[in-house]
Amino acid sequence: MIKIPQIQSAKKRMRQNARRHERNQVRRDARKQTLKKMRRAITSGDKSTAESLMPQLMKVADKAAKHNVIHANKAARLKSRLVKKIQAIG
């Protein structure tokens, strides 16, 4: 059974939540796709591709953290670990 709000402010809140959910999904998917590309490059040992993807990943991770899709510490941890893995390749 789906609960449909009766109060106007609750209806507005529901619309806002739906829009925010969509935007968060786009940011989350962008981060995941970039992360997959990066991990593929690292496991294959392609350092140049991994280094070229790093600024893109940093931008996506920082934007996700800025908009509270992920925690700021998670973004920092993710970037730090990937930089270490890229440095270990060469």
Side-chain angles (χ1 to χ4, degrees):
M1 180 174 184
I2 299 173
K3 290 188 178 183
I4 298 173
Q6 301 299 314
I7 298 168
Q8 191 63 34
S9 61
K11 289 178 183 178
K12 181 179 177 181
R13 177 63 63 191
M14 200 167 121
R15 290 192 308 269
Q16 287 175 332
N17 287 340
R19 283 194 300 266
R20 287 176 182 150
H21 179 74
E22 285 295 318
R23 283 195 297 259
N24 288 343
Q25 282 299 115
V26 169
R27 289 185 181 110
R28 191 174 290 124
D29 291 344
R31 184 182 58 86
K32 285 182 179 182
Q33 288 173 357
T34 309
L35 194 58
K36 279 183 182 181
K37 288 179 195 173
M38 176 73 88
R39 287 189 174 145
R40 240 183 264 131
I42 290 171
T43 55
S44 67
D46 190 3
K47 188 173 182 175
S48 62
T49 304
E51 285 176 339
S52 67
L53 285 171
M54 196 63 204
Q56 183 182 353
L57 179 73
M58 285 191 177
K59 182 178 178 180
V60 170
D62 287 338
K63 275 192 174 184
K66 178 183 172 187
H67 295 286
N68 292 322
V69 175
I70 60 173
H71 196 277
N73 290 351
K74 180 174 181 171
R77 185 175 61 242
L78 177 73
K79 294 186 294 184
S80 173
R81 288 178 181 174
L82 288 171
V83 167
K84 284 181 183 178
K85 286 181 180 181
I86 291 171
Q87 289 173 346
I89 292 172

